[in-house]
Amino acid sequence: MSNITRVNNWLQSADARAIATLASRYLDICTTYTGRATHYNTKEAQQEAAEAIHEELFRTSRGFYGLLACMNGTLDLAKQQAVVRLLDHPRYSDGGDLLTAQQEKVMLEHLVQALPAHRMFKLFCQIAERRINNRRTRNLILKAIFSQPMGALERWALSYRSKFLKVLKHCLGVKGAGALKNGANQYLSGSTMPTSARSILSRMLPDVWHAIPLVKQYIEVVGFVLGVKAAYSMESFVAFNSVKNGNWNEGSKLTEEVLEGLRSTYYKDSKTHADVLAATKSKMTAKKASMVQRKAQEAGIEVSFDAKNLNPIELYVMAYETGMTPDIQEALEAKAKKNAREIPVSLGKIGIVVDNSSSMFGHGTQKHRPIAAALATRDMLQQACREHVTVLTNKRPGRPPAVPAIHGDTSIASALLEVLEQDVEKVFLLTDGYENSPAGRVAEVMSLLRNKLKNNTPVFQLTNVSGAEAAGIRELAPGFITAMPIANPESFTISLMRGMLAMQDPKEGVKALIDIGFRGCFNESIFKVDLLEKVS
Amino acid sequence: MTHTIRSVLRGVKPGRMQSVGNMQVIPLILDMPEDNRFAPPDLYVSNRNYGQIDLSNQDTRPTIAPVGATYLTKQRAQDHAIMGAQFIKGKSRIRINDAACVQSTQGGMIQEEQTELQILPYSLREESIGLRGKQSHNKLWYAIGRFNRLAGCAREAQHLEYYTEVHNALMDQFVAEFEVLPNQIGAIILINGKVYGVERAPNTSYWRTVWKPLIRMCYGSQAIIENKTSKDPDRTPVSTSIGQNINSLQDLKEALEQADRAHYRAATRIVDKLLDNEFNIDDDEGCADFRHLTLNNDQFVGQIIVDGERVCYASLITKKDWHKNADWRAADEFTL
């Protein structure tokens, strides 16, 4: 059966309105629920609500549920929950569901690969704690771990050693893990590996088992995780054992977290955290290095980092705090292009209004985040369209700086008219929704545009949400402007989909979601939907 | 020397009025060199007795604890507020003996910490100015209970933090709604088009520090009370019609510019009406090279700190009685 036939069959038997409502609630959760307490709700109450929505959508269709979790922009927690739920419930037949078993396998791999390492291990530990142990699960976990490049595996073995061990024991069983440990021990001591251990390894590593030069390294990784005491050849394992045995200087080859772990156990009285920082500054992760940039700059210390490893919002926050550099600029451009490719719509000539008023500064721990999110979204839209007219709400005379100054009151209406004068096809207002000169002016202008001038250019308000409370963004002109919360540029597609689901014909909305899901997971467009046309 | 609002606001000009819900703010923009002799009031707070508070300024420059500075600590200790403004020299500590406890059933002394600055709600300010010099830690309790009732707090005990617990999200919204402009050092605050306060800071960094507590608790609380609801005030924007005679985008653009100009004129008209009412000086204290004056006329009460004739700091609120007869004063005079 072709994909389109399968999907159409599923659509015919489904209650599109109920699914659209459910999907909309689910997308809210997927983009905002972080598992933490908020100003309004306790952690437990939020968790209960999130669980209920996950379960309800899963019961409706496991394929549709998984596709939504795969969307570009869903939070990692939603992806983790989806993987656990899909693995915990076996598929009994292919009949009637949106995806085949093979497609579901690809989708699960897609979900797991999208997670950063620490979350992936957290997910696998959850799976172990819940005793989800079927062949599908074991294969997924082992493939996700051992298909990584050797450098990553070596790093993970050090940084996530106890979690790695727990996952291995879960996949191999205690006996299997014991046999493997024994085999690795013998192999690394120069003897031949027993057959039982060889057979376990060949099942674990089917793709690399015959790549002889790599096998020793894989066995070292597995042996290190399982606690084999042997003479290792991999640099970081050697350094780890060396530091453990009293040679602190070797610590410079380890990451801060690993060395801090060793310090707190073996050097409690003789070394401090400052010694750890001094020893590991060359091994600092890009995110950590970016976090200390401002302080380092003030102190005249150079801490290098790779801008490519940060997301565009983090890069803009950094540019505001320490200044824009060619590296940051280059990374921002590359990320904008990448995110633009993910947008499933054609944008044509667009107008972009960036609110750079004082309230976009953010506050507390979210300093510079609202403006950073707006600028990152601006970059993505500029890359995704044919032509654009971009204006700031508060311009300053002279050449525009690399990052616009955040200042002044919020007067969006005149900026909106400025872009509309350029015959744009669509307008995007990137704002926090706080208008004050005076409040209500944009609504008044939109009313005149629509009712008096019969100007129907679609206008979208994209408002950054960074906490768990996505609901209730402040709309500039309800009824005239489609307001969409976005957590980051990647979640632009999800915001569009929320708009789709609120449409008159819910079936169209559901079809669009399936289309995006298929494009993301299987590189195939089923219905070739233009989302933006439909939302506006 | 006599003081009026005109003299207090010398060297500033009104910015574009910001208007959201029932609150409006006319920003005051500096139109002369900035006075950077004062540090922002980022003070360390502690106390050893009820009704007493120690404020420590760790900056090398002097600073001013604003009128009604309030410190709600997270420690198991009694929250306190000061009644008037307080001048504090650079790198020094002062003890204020006429502070008030703002939490009637909590005991304990504050261990030194840098607590976030808050400012007493508008409806307590007039009373607190009158209580300067009175050494009694419970002197504001009755007024706080009344304030909590008015502000729709379910718990009516005399704890100021009950108000912040109930209205925290809304107060944060006020901060986002009313934005600080470049070179802004003060503001005239209005609720439903009526003036409630005039604030002036020595410089922009001082202003950025005091603006948040002013708009959140001091004036924000009054906006909530004025709305006569227990929770969200009416978020309906003020009517700002930009006309109907519009046939093209160009017409709409011009109408918008006209409306902006009208909005600005409305702000200047409001300011004009305040300017020339002379103040009586109730109290005049010297503090280093500066003088610390308590002012009062039929409309305003508050304090200013001056260096000769130069006003460095001002915080003046309108009296409650003034609002009681606002309709009468707004009515046209009798003419034949």
Side-chain angles (χ1 to χ4, degrees):
Chain A
M1 195 189 298
S2 70
N3 282 336
I4 190 150
T5 316
R6 174 176 276 273
V7 172
N8 277 330
N9 287 348
W10 180 80
L11 275 169
Q12 269 173 11
S13 64
D15 177 353
R17 188 165 296 280
I19 290 179
T21 312
L22 196 52
S24 188
R25 284 165 57 207
Y26 177 73
L27 288 176
D28 274 340
I29 291 282
C30 274
T31 49
T32 58
Y33 171 59
T34 57
R36 296 189 195 116
T38 71
H39 183 71
Y40 299 104
N41 295 304
T42 62
K43 185 179 168 185
E44 291 72 25
Q46 290 217 91
Q47 196 174 353
E48 205 175 304
E51 277 291 323
I53 293 171
H54 271 267
E55 186 62 22
E56 205 177 335
L57 188 63
F58 175 77
R59 294 277 167 220
T60 307
S61 161
R62 59 189 295 147
F64 186 64
Y65 168 73
L67 280 182
L68 287 198
C70 280
M71 300 285 170
N72 202 16
T74 53
L75 293 178
D76 292 340
L77 184 62
K79 289 189 169 79
Q80 289 168 317
Q81 285 173 311
V83 173
V84 170
R85 191 164 262 103
L86 284 162
L87 291 174
D88 201 12
H89 295 81
R91 278 178 74 98
Y92 293 110
S93 78
D94 269 1
D97 195 35
L98 194 60
L99 303 181
T100 61
Q102 180 56 27
Q103 282 171 332
E104 186 174 310
K105 183 173 168 250
V106 173
M107 183 181 74
L108 277 165
E109 285 171 9
H110 189 88
L111 279 168
V112 170
Q113 298 289 357
L115 296 172
H118 65 285
R119 298 219 164 104
M120 188 178 81
F121 275 102
K122 196 173 171 192
L123 164 70
F124 294 160
C125 287
Q126 272 175 29
I127 289 173
E129 279 153 21
R130 295 177 67 146
R131 293 169 180 271
I132 304 170
N133 199 344
N134 46 49
R135 188 187 290 174
R136 216 159 57 106
T137 306
R138 291 193 295 272
N139 288 344
L140 179 77
I141 293 176
L142 292 174
K143 187 170 177 189
I145 295 177
F146 289 102
S147 63
Q148 297 298 321
M150 187 49 70
L153 266 183
E154 187 182 350
R155 214 168 39 246
W156 291 356
L158 278 165
S159 301
Y160 311 110
R161 196 178 182 189
S162 60
K163 289 193 175 91
F164 203 149
L165 177 64
K166 188 172 180 175
V167 171
L168 270 186
K169 279 186 175 167
H170 178 68
C171 291
L172 306 176
V174 177
K175 266 191 182 169
L180 189 57
K181 183 179 175 182
N182 185 30
N185 196 6
Q186 291 191 25
Y187 181 86
L188 294 172
S189 321
S191 315
T192 315
M193 188 179 252
T195 323
S196 58
R198 286 173 68 88
S199 122
I200 293 171
L201 263 182
S202 65
R203 280 204 309 274
M204 266 172 68
L205 314 166
D207 300 333
V208 295
W209 186 236
H210 301 292
I212 299 301
L214 281 177
V215 168
K216 180 164 189 281
Q217 292 181 323
Y218 278 104
I219 295 174
E220 282 204 13
V221 168
V222 172
F224 183 80
V225 171
L226 292 170
V228 172
K229 290 184 175 58
Y232 290 97
S233 64
M234 291 169 96
E235 191 189 37
S236 54
F237 297 165
V238 174
F240 182 89
N241 285 331
S242 222
V243 174
K244 215 168 135 180
N245 295 325
N247 185 0
W248 175 261
N249 293 340
E250 286 292 294
S252 60
K253 291 173 184 160
L254 301 172
T255 61
E256 184 199 332
E257 290 77 11
V258 174
L259 189 60
E260 175 58 26
L262 288 170
R263 184 201 69 81
S264 60
T265 313
Y266 301 101
Y267 297 85
K268 212 185 262 175
D269 303 321
S270 57
K271 300 283 179 195
T272 65
H273 186 64
D275 296 316
V276 174
L277 283 176
T280 58
K281 72 176 183 189
S282 64
K283 287 272 180 181
M284 225 175 249
T285 62
K287 185 154 184 167
K288 187 149 257 172
S290 79
M291 282 158 69
V292 301
Q293 278 295 304
R294 192 164 50 86
K295 279 191 179 161
Q297 209 174 56
E298 280 164 12
I301 301 166
E302 198 178 317
V303 177
S304 65
F305 78 103
D306 188 354
K308 288 196 283 295
N309 293 334
L310 296 181
N311 72 41
I313 297 179
E314 289 162 350
L315 285 169
Y316 266 118
V317 169
M318 200 174 153
Y320 269 105
E321 291 185 351
T322 61
M324 182 65 90
T325 63
D327 277 0
I328 297 180
Q329 191 88 57
E330 197 184 309
L332 279 169
E333 208 177 307
K335 280 165 198 295
K337 280 183 182 156
K338 180 181 171 288
N339 285 328
R341 281 196 295 273
E342 307 279 342
I343 297 182
V345 291
S346 52
L347 289 178
K349 181 178 178 182
I350 61 170
I352 305 171
V353 173
V354 180
D355 175 1
N356 61 326
S357 65
S358 298
S359 61
M360 295 293 279
F361 183 81
H363 53 84
T365 55
Q366 301 291 320
K367 212 165 98 180
H368 288 123
R369 195 184 160 94
I371 188 72
L375 294 174
T377 309
R378 173 200 66 177
D379 294 352
M380 178 191 67
L381 291 171
Q382 285 178 342
Q383 292 291 345
C385 67
R386 191 184 70 241
E387 194 183 340
H388 67 88
V389 182
T390 302
V391 298
L392 293 170
T393 55
N394 297 318
K395 288 181 270 268
R396 273 186 172 161
R399 195 166 155 266
V403 284
I406 311 163
H407 65 108
D409 57 11
T410 311
S411 179
I412 296 168
S414 52
L416 170 64
L417 292 181
E418 197 179 327
V419 296
L420 282 172
E421 275 184 328
Q422 306 290 318
D423 291 326
V424 293
E425 294 160 40
K426 299 168 183 92
V427 179
F428 294 92
L429 307 177
L430 310 179
T431 173
D432 58 2
Y434 285 99
E435 187 192 18
N436 58 20
S437 292
R441 189 67 102 205
V442 173
E444 203 179 357
V445 165
M446 284 304 299
S447 166
L448 289 164
L449 276 169
R450 295 283 194 254
N451 301 326
K452 205 87 198 282
L453 302 182
K454 306 295 174 206
N455 181 319
N456 288 319
T457 309
V459 182
F460 303 90
Q461 174 191 336
L462 302 181
T463 294
N464 173 244
V465 286
S466 46
E469 261 86 31
I473 61 163
R474 213 173 163 87
E475 293 190 42
L476 287 169
F480 296 114
I481 293 179
T482 312
M484 302 188 288
I486 78 165
N488 47 47
E490 294 90 332
S491 67
F492 177 66
T493 306
I494 289 196
S495 300
L496 282 180
M497 286 190 296
R498 269 210 207 87
M500 292 288 300
L501 292 165
M503 283 188 334
Q504 290 283 315
D505 183 357
K507 202 166 197 166
E508 286 299 308
V510 174
K511 273 167 86 171
L513 292 192
I514 295 170
D515 201 54
I516 309 276
F518 266 73
R519 282 192 232 188
C521 279
F522 315 119
N523 257 335
E524 179 187 350
S525 173
I526 302 235
F527 301 110
K528 300 185 173 51
V529 178
D530 186 333
L531 277 175
L532 215 50
E533 284 300 321
K534 292 196 178 291
V535 174
S536 61
Chain B
M1 184 189 169
T2 56
H3 286 284
T4 58
I5 294 289
R6 190 185 292 279
S7 68
V8 167
L9 297 188
R10 181 185 281 266
V12 300
K13 58 182 182 187
R16 179 158 60 176
M17 180 157 66
Q18 298 179 12
S19 176
V20 187
N22 65 350
M23 201 156 29
Q24 298 85 43
V25 169
I26 300 170
L28 298 173
I29 311 297
L30 192 63
D31 198 21
M32 59 181 281
E34 196 170 4
D35 181 359
N36 281 317
R37 288 174 296 172
F38 292 88
D42 296 321
L43 298 167
Y44 285 75
V45 184
S46 60
N47 73 346
R48 294 193 171 182
N49 273 312
Y50 296 128
Q52 189 187 70
I53 194 161
D54 291 356
L55 298 177
S56 162
N57 174 18
Q58 306 206 345
D59 200 287
T60 50
R61 294 172 294 166
T63 190
I64 301 161
V67 177
T70 302
Y71 299 97
L72 306 182
T73 174
K74 289 192 174 108
Q75 298 173 24
R76 286 176 178 276
Q78 207 170 67
D79 299 335
H80 276 72
I82 62 173
M83 305 292 96
Q86 201 68 48
F87 179 89
I88 309 161
K89 288 181 190 166
K91 290 276 177 204
S92 70
R93 173 194 303 269
I94 55 156
R95 174 159 298 167
I96 299 161
N97 291 313
D98 64 347
C101 158
V102 293
Q103 204 178 22
S104 63
T105 60
Q106 170 72 51
M109 300 301 151
I110 305 171
Q111 300 305 308
E112 186 164 83
E113 64 171 12
Q114 195 175 25
T115 313
E116 189 184 353
L117 172 70
Q118 315 265 1
I119 291 179
L120 279 178
Y122 166 86
S123 73
L124 301 177
R125 288 265 306 262
E126 187 178 343
E127 196 162 345
S128 67
I129 286 268
L131 291 169
R132 280 172 308 114
K134 181 178 175 182
Q135 292 189 13
S136 159
H137 73 284
N138 62 0
K139 58 190 174 184
L140 271 187
W141 287 359
Y142 177 76
I144 291 170
R146 190 186 55 211
F147 163 74
N148 278 350
R149 270 195 306 283
L150 286 172
C153 301
R155 292 188 286 178
E156 289 180 6
Q158 296 91 352
H159 282 230
L160 201 51
E161 85 274 13
Y162 290 170
Y163 163 78
T164 59
E165 283 167 12
V166 172
H167 295 294
N168 205 31
L170 192 54
M171 292 196 296
D172 283 344
Q173 258 188 40
F174 292 145
V175 179
E177 285 167 351
F178 294 99
E179 295 164 311
V180 176
L181 302 188
N183 284 332
Q184 185 178 349
I185 60 153
I188 299 172
I189 299 96
L190 301 91
I191 298 168
N192 291 324
K194 292 175 198 146
V195 174
Y196 272 74
V198 176
E199 303 281 343
R200 177 180 186 151
N203 52 49
T204 50
S205 59
Y206 187 101
W207 178 251
R208 278 195 294 274
T209 306
V210 295
W211 177 237
K212 189 174 158 189
L214 280 170
I215 196 68
R216 281 180 101 247
M217 195 199 267
C218 179
Y219 295 105
S221 63
Q222 193 57 22
I224 292 171
I225 291 171
E226 287 289 315
N227 231 33
K228 293 184 174 59
T229 68
S230 60
K231 271 210 161 170
D232 295 0
D234 179 9
R235 312 307 298 156
T236 315
V238 290
S239 170
T240 52
S241 173
I242 53 176
Q244 296 295 313
N245 197 17
I246 288 159
N247 298 307
S248 66
L249 265 182
Q250 189 55 35
D251 288 350
L252 183 52
K253 211 173 159 189
E254 279 165 19
L256 188 58
E257 282 162 12
Q258 262 178 28
D260 282 347
R261 283 196 293 273
H263 209 60
Y264 181 78
R265 280 198 299 276
T268 52
R269 268 200 306 276
I270 292 165
V271 179
D272 266 350
K273 286 184 188 169
L274 309 173
L275 294 179
D276 294 315
N277 199 354
E278 277 187 23
F279 283 109
N280 304 314
I281 299 177
D282 288 352
D283 207 358
D284 185 346
E285 297 167 43
C287 41
D289 297 332
F290 304 92
R291 280 166 56 222
H292 184 167
L293 310 178
T294 303
L295 304 181
N296 172 34
N297 64 20
D298 52 356
Q299 185 175 2
F300 289 100
V301 61
Q303 294 191 315
I304 62 174
I305 289 179
V306 295
D307 173 10
E309 56 187 342
R310 178 183 192 137
V311 177
C312 304
Y313 166 85
S315 181
L316 302 158
I317 56 157
T318 44
K319 293 176 167 176
K320 286 178 193 161
D321 280 352
W322 177 262
H323 291 296
K324 207 157 69 183
N325 294 320
D327 294 345
W328 173 258
R329 281 189 304 277
D332 289 337
E333 283 184 6
F334 173 75
T335 53
L336 283 174

